[in-house]
Structures are given as structure tokens and as C-alpha cells.
Amino acid sequence: MIMIANLQYGWSVFVAPMQHAHNWAVTSIQVAFTIFVALETWATPVNALICDRIGPRFGPRLVMGAGGILVAAGWVLDAYTSSLTALYIGGALTGFGAGAIYCVSVGTAVKWFPDRRGLATGLVAAGFGAGAALTIIPIKMHIAAYGYESAFLLFGLIQGGVVLVASQFIRHPNPGEVKAVAGGASKQSLRSYTSKEVLGSWVFWVLYVCDVLMCAGGLVVTANLVSIANSHNISTVMILGVATLSLALVFANVMNGVARPLFGWIADQIGLPKTMMIGFSLGAVAYFCLFMFGGIPAAFVLCTGLVFFCWGNIFSLFPAMCTNLFGTKYATTNASLLYTAKGTAALLVPLASIVTRITGSWDSVLLVATVINVIAVFVVGLILTPAAKKFQSDEVAADAALVAKVA
């Protein structure tokens, strides 16, 4: 997961060099990012289905290993491309590969640790959220010294190679190897629902809409963090001997990673719906503060970190809730179906750039993100929580009816 973090969270440092080298419009370059996110999410059900069908021993290894090869191939292609078409193909390769790695990693976590599902998923997802903090400055330095093409080539080969090796040590539990947990703050289904049943469940679609709402704002800031800093003319302002943008990039990725296991642990203690409402409320505050104080270098760093902190929690909370509701046997595929919400939200990334170009600032985009977070709080409290309770009550009633019928 650490090895695919740069594909998303390091992307913004490549945008300006590519624009300068080829005179491509930023909106055109960001189409590649949208393709990456779309396939990294929308293709995960395919990867997960293949993984589950092959079996717990070899499925994870083969799917994740193939993902490592595709990740390397995508960035190597980006290193040599001289056309937008090739750049988009590179985005597609890395997207499909990253999706394979992500779905296997999350599927592994939710299956092995039912008693600490939120924390386990958060720890695994933290690799994707914070992994770029280790390499974002080295990548920026490498681009400055040798060009973005060399950075794509070198880091693409390293990232893909490490994934290919690490994947051979992954497996899912065999049937009966891990027992379901009845207690805890969140009720867990003892039945495993197939993907067809999940897609036919209305509570899944309530969860999906909420996921889309939360993904949208974070993706916009992730893809355009450099542009937002440049719009305030603070990118190169020094803070404690470090440029504002570099410090913000590292701090944001660290906070993104910290949030995932932290909110997952909190959810294990007080329940997922309550934790979601807390996180989304803090997210509204974070976007509004970035809107209000983003022009101040120190405030930009702190507010950006808070945005990523409040956004990162969704990648531990939503997979855990999906597995609690629909069971573990098909958890890799079902969590991947929910993860496609991120791809749906990615469609808004180019739209944000267009709005900014029309209005001349990022203020309107940040205000919309603030409102979206507020809406998400109400969706969880007034719709998702009652829907989940009713779904679980219906499940209990159905099981009781089946037992009575057999008796």
C-alpha cells in the first residue's frame, strides 16, 4: 500500500513539470488523474472477484503481483510519453494495478481481524494515505535535478518491484480459520451476502452515496494541492527552513495516514456511525478554515493537514461498515463495489479546475466541499444509521423465520 501512495498523493508534483515540458493545459493533464482514480476504483470489483474465485492462498498473490507489474508499466510509460493519449494509457495501467493492490490489501484486513476490523483496515489503509510522505520530497528533488521523466522511471520500477515481491507473502484465511465476533460496538453480520444481494440492498446504496459525498472534496484537494498553494503565492515561502508546499505535502500525507487507524480504533470503541459523524463534522471545519486562512503559509500547512486527516478516515470506516453489514466471505468483492464511489467522485476533479478557471480562485470549490461535509453528517445521522439498523433487524427476523420453518 505504501508503494502505491505516490500514484495518487504524489501526482500533483508532476503536473507543473509536464505542463512546462509539453505546454499541455492543466485540465488536460488532470484527465489522466481522473482515469487513474476511475480505474483504481471501478475496476476493483473485477480484481476482487478474480481474487475470491482463485482462492485464499493463491488469489491474493496473483492479483496483487499483477498489480505491481501494471503499476511499474504505467509510470515507465509516463516517463517516455510525448502525447496526452499515452499519458492517459499510463493512467489506466496504474489505475488498474493500484486497484488490484488496494482491494487485496483491504480484503485481507477485514477478513483476518473481525474483532478489530476498523483498526486493522485503518492500519492497512494508512500505508496508502501516508506512504507518499516518505518519498514526496525525494521525488521533488529528483524532478528538479533530473526531470520528471527520470522520476517516473526510477520510482515506477521501485514501487512496482517491491509490490511484486511483497505480494507473495499475502493470503486470506481459509474457511473456518477465523471465527466471527458477536460482541463489540458495531453489530456484525453472521451471514455472508453475495455481491448480487449487496447490489440489491438499499442500505448499500445509502452507504454508497455517503461515500461519494466524502470522496469528492478530498480528491479535488489531493489533485490540486500544488495549484491551490500557487494561487496564494506561498509555495516557496520558507517555514522553519522548508518551503511551504513541501512541508504541506509531507504533513498532509502523514495526517492522512494517522487518521485511518485512529478513526478505525475509535469506531471499534463507539461504533461506526458516531465516528463518521465526528469525522465529517471536523472535515467541514477543515475545508472552511482552508478557505478562510489558506493564504497564510503556516495556516495553509495546518489546514491542509486537517483536511487530509478528516478525509483519510473514510478509507477505514466505509470498508469496515460494509463488512459488518454484509459478512466476510465475499468481503473483498463487496468492499470493492463500495470503493467504486471514489471513482464516481473523481469525475468532479476536472470540473473543479473548470470552476476555478471561471471564478479565478479556489474559494468556491472549498466552500462547496464544506457544505458537502455538512450534508454528509446529516445523511449519516438521519438516513444511514436508521437504514443500517433496519437492515440488521430484518436480517435477524429473516433468520428467526428460517429457524422456525425448519423446526
Side-chain angles (χ1 to χ4, degrees), residues 116 118-120 260-270 316-317:
R116 292 290 184 271
L119 176 60
R260 301 180 185 213
L262 176 60
F263 277 94
W265 175 81
I266 293 173
D268 289 336
Q269 311 307 312
I270 67 173
S316 58
L317 301 183

Side-chain angles (χ1 to χ4, degrees), residues 54 65 79 105 144 158-159 172 180 202 248 269 276 303 335 340:
I54 293 175
S105 300
I158 291 174
Q159 291 162 177
H172 287 168
W202 59 284
Q269 311 307 312
M276 286 179 174
C303 292
T340 62

Side-chain angles (χ1 to χ4, degrees), residues 9-45:
Y9 297 104
W11 173 259
S12 61
V13 302
F14 289 94
V15 175
M18 284 191 287
Q19 181 190 24
H20 178 74
H22 301 285
N23 198 30
W24 294 332
V26 172
T27 51
S28 298
I29 294 173
Q30 293 295 28
V31 170
F33 181 82
T34 300
I35 292 172
F36 162 77
V37 175
L39 284 177
E40 188 243 340
T41 53
W42 288 336
T44 49

Side-chain angles (χ1 to χ4, degrees), residues 110-342:
V110 298
K111 288 184 177 183
W112 275 108
F113 307 100
D115 55 335
R116 292 290 184 271
R117 188 164 285 147
L119 176 60
T121 307
L123 286 169
V124 170
F128 188 56
L134 301 174
T135 51
I136 194 69
I137 291 181
I139 286 179
K140 282 173 60 67
M141 294 173 64
H142 194 92
I143 291 174
Y146 304 105
Y148 82 87
E149 299 94 340
S150 178
F152 268 138
L153 178 62
L154 176 63
F155 286 90
L157 291 174
I158 291 174
Q159 291 162 177
V162 171
V163 170
L164 183 59
V165 173
S167 65
Q168 303 312 302
F169 297 90
I170 301 295
R171 77 172 179 90
H172 287 168
N174 294 312
E177 188 172 0
V178 175
K179 301 297 182 182
V181 177
S186 299
K187 182 180 178 181
Q188 300 180 19
S189 174
L190 298 178
R191 177 189 167 194
S192 290
Y193 291 78
T194 65
S195 299
K196 183 177 180 180
E197 290 175 313
V198 169
L199 291 175
S201 169
W202 59 284
V203 70
F204 171 80
W205 292 108
V206 175
L207 193 63
Y208 190 91
V209 169
C210 193
D211 203 356
V212 170
L213 290 174
M214 291 309 303
C215 281
L219 283 176
V220 169
V221 175
T222 298
N224 296 286
L225 188 59
V226 174
S227 299
I228 295 173
N230 290 338
S231 70
H232 291 298
N233 297 315
I234 59 172
S235 298
T236 57
V237 176
M238 305 302 288
I239 301 176
L240 301 176
V242 182
T244 296
L245 180 58
S246 296
L247 186 60
L249 287 167
V250 173
F251 185 59
N253 283 298
V254 169
M255 293 297 285
N256 191 0
V258 168
R260 301 180 185 213
L262 176 60
F263 277 94
W265 175 81
I266 293 173
D268 289 336
Q269 311 307 312
I270 67 173
L272 286 159
K274 291 180 181 178
T275 308
M276 286 179 174
M277 294 179 69
I278 293 171
F280 302 167
S281 297
L282 288 174
V285 174
Y287 285 111
F288 187 72
C289 287
L290 186 58
F291 159 72
M292 290 291 295
F293 309 112
I296 304 172
F300 179 84
V301 174
L302 293 175
C303 292
T304 300
L306 185 58
V307 165
F308 277 65
F309 179 77
C310 297
W311 183 58
N313 66 69
I314 67 178
F315 299 106
S316 58
L317 301 183
F318 281 96
M321 189 162 189
C322 183
T323 306
N324 283 353
L325 288 170
F326 302 113
T328 59
K329 183 176 181 180
Y330 308 104
T332 307
T333 304
N334 293 337
S336 296
L337 289 171
L338 180 60
Y339 190 57
T340 62
K342 181 181 174 184

